[in-house]
Amino acid sequence: MSARSEPSLYPLFADLRNRQVLVVGGGVVAARKIAALLAAEAVVAVVAAELGERVGAWRNAGQLRHCGSAFAPEHLDAVWLVIAASDDAALNSRVKATADARRVFCNVVDDAALSSFQVPAVIARGPLRIAVSSAGMAPVLARQLRGRIEAMLDDSLGALATLLGRWRLRIRAQLPELSARRRFLESLADGVVGRLLAQGQPERAEAALAAALSGADPKPAGRVSLVGAGPGDPGLVTLKAQRRLQEADVVLYDALVDPAILALARRDADLIATGKRAGQACTAQPAIHALMLQHARAGRSVVRLKGGDPFVFGRGGEELAFLRRHGIDCEVVPGISAALACAAYAGVPLTHRAHAQSVRLVTAHCRDSIDALDWRSLAADGQTLAFYMAVGQLEQVRDRLLAHGCKPQTPCAIVENGSRADQRVLLAALAELPEFARSHGVAAPALLFVGDVAALASELHWFGAPPRVASAAAIASAA
Ligand code: SAH
């Protein structure tokens, strides 16, 4: 194993502020390198026969100096680093050889073997930098890893690092003993301070840091995140939801949550089903409240995981109010609600300049909720209705809409298991909807769209099986 084929690089974070760096080349590749150098406040000089658009703009704005079209050894006189980013391999080699002779570190773009330093893939959070390098052996793998790490780390870590930087001396003065200081610092990221920063409350975070440092608040506080899991496709889980699942001690999840999404939870998290599904046994809401409270009070990180979005027919509002009333630290992580996901995956644009200027999210869960609706306004033209929990009530929905003036041929789409591998889409005119759904054995979870845009699914569908169409009337207004 020669050193040349498998270098073991020494990582280095360079402070380039006010230090000169030379870039040879003025094209797109050079521009990428220059952008990072300017962000690090380096003094950039460029040697290139021609400057591309971006590099030219920086030169015109006085952000870098163009010091000639032909590379000469003198160009290296004042520089700390050089990057050879021209598309001329011979020139790049010459730059490298000259740099070596002067002991100036040189990166030759896309040529790890020739380079004396390499530029890693970077994850940045405020002053934090995580650099990934494969020493040029597997740059694509390094970039992939960078993507995964990006997904794991909350944006608020940057604010935490900045805060700790400002408090460093005070913390050291207060906790002179190293191991105590380390324990204290370690507790911050996952404790109240880190959480408050993640909740966008820097002043409270700083106050909590001060309190913790003065020993006022030693007990770990639990918290509850009300997290939307989206409609089923794990790819539709937000990064934040994924992070919360990875930090969770306890996950209280609803029946609609896909197992593939539960699999994102930390491996030793406690997974507790609180399944609620029409007609099936479920944990009653007060029992769910009690569970959240019990685990949060024991200092645990609780994720209350709900299908779709917690605030759309998910009783998230009630749960948040309950937690706030009991002084529990909480947050809400929105999810992609079924109406948005089913519309997208079925090819039903919810709004459309020609067909729908508004969208209404409606529940048609049971007789009571149906009777409470303002059917006259629901029957109006120019809007899209998205009915949640409507599979069992299709007759009632149809009859009321017709009775309030909706046209019998109004297009309807039912999306069953939206965004999942077994998604089905049915298109029917309003008048024929319940019979058609029954003949296809439609079951929950399914979402009903009513409005002209529903007919567009016949052309715009792209996911899973093509829609089943009841009659020509169902898609007439798509034309
Ligand atoms: N909070 C959830 C809704 C919960 S109510 C959200 O924002 O999506 C449950 C209803 O949501 C179901 O009866 C069904 O109408 C709808 N629903 C949830 N997931 C669905 C899916 N994958 N496909 C179709 N409908 C879905």
Side-chain angles (χ1 to χ4, degrees), residues 31-50:
R32 267 203 303 274
K33 301 292 167 187
I34 292 170
L37 291 169
L38 291 176
E41 298 174 50
V43 179
V44 177
V46 174
V47 172
E50 261 178 77

Side-chain angles (χ1 to χ4, degrees), residues 228 230-233 254 256 276-278 306-315 335-342 361-363 365 387-391 414-420 423 443-448:
D233 176 352
D254 275 356
L256 278 177
K276 277 195 281 194
R277 215 159 192 182
K306 296 163 169 294
D309 179 87
F311 277 7
V312 177
F313 305 128
R315 305 190 75 167
I336 296 189
S337 190
L340 302 183
C342 292
L361 307 186
V362 191
T363 173
H365 180 37
F387 282 98
Y388 288 70
M389 297 176 274
V391 213
I414 293 185
V415 184
E416 182 193 65
N417 290 315
S419 85
R420 303 179 185 194
Q423 166 175 304
L447 206 109
L448 165 64

Side-chain angles (χ1 to χ4, degrees), residues 256-475:
L256 278 177
V257 174
D258 201 273
I261 292 168
L262 278 181
L264 298 172
R266 201 161 63 87
R267 210 169 338 157
D268 44 2
D270 240 343
L271 305 181
I272 303 174
T274 59
K276 277 195 281 194
R277 215 159 192 182
Q280 284 177 25
C282 64
T283 314
Q285 197 63 36
I288 295 174
H289 287 181
L291 271 173
M292 292 193 295
L293 196 57
Q294 172 202 332
H295 288 293
R297 286 203 167 140
R300 301 195 181 104
S301 279
V302 181
V303 167
R304 171 76 180 112
L305 190 63
K306 296 163 169 294
D309 179 87
F311 277 7
V312 177
F313 305 128
R315 305 190 75 167
E318 288 162 56
E319 294 180 6
L320 184 61
F322 172 84
L323 294 164
R324 294 300 298 266
R325 223 169 29 245
H326 287 80
I328 301 293
D329 187 12
C330 38
E331 67 170 354
V332 184
V333 179
I336 296 189
S337 190
L340 302 183
C342 292
Y345 277 58
V348 174
L350 288 173
T351 67
H352 190 290
R353 278 196 297 172
H355 302 297
Q357 284 71 51
S358 70
V359 187
R360 300 184 60 178
L361 307 186
V362 191
T363 173
H365 180 37
C366 56
R367 234 204 118 71
D368 285 355
S369 59
I370 283 189
D371 287 336
L373 293 170
D374 174 4
W375 288 97
R376 190 188 302 278
S377 75
L378 290 174
D381 281 345
Q383 60 180 343
T384 304
L385 308 179
F387 282 98
Y388 288 70
M389 297 176 274
V391 213
Q393 316 288 331
L394 294 176
E395 264 96 2
Q396 289 85 332
V397 169
R398 173 197 51 194
D399 294 348
R400 281 172 173 74
L401 284 173
L402 291 178
H404 287 83
C406 222
K407 291 189 279 302
Q409 68 274 24
T410 304
C412 298
I414 293 185
V415 184
E416 182 193 65
N417 290 315
S419 85
R420 303 179 185 194
D422 51 355
Q423 166 175 304
R424 286 202 297 174
V425 179
L426 274 61
L427 302 182
L430 179 59
E432 62 194 355
L433 174 74
E435 292 72 25
F436 189 59
R438 198 170 324 113
S439 71
H440 280 84
V442 170
L447 206 109
L448 165 64
F449 295 109
V450 179
D452 288 344
V453 292
L456 294 172
S458 64
E459 294 165 29
L460 300 184
H461 73 86
W462 56 272
F463 179 80
R468 291 149 213 237
V469 182
S471 68
I475 55 173

Side-chain angles (χ1 to χ4, degrees), residues 38-65:
L38 291 176
E41 298 174 50
V43 179
V44 177
V46 174
V47 172
E50 261 178 77
L51 299 188
E53 202 178 316
R54 270 182 99 192
V55 182
W58 280 317
R59 192 255 331 259
N60 295 342
Q63 289 179 272
L64 54 76
R65 204 158 47 84

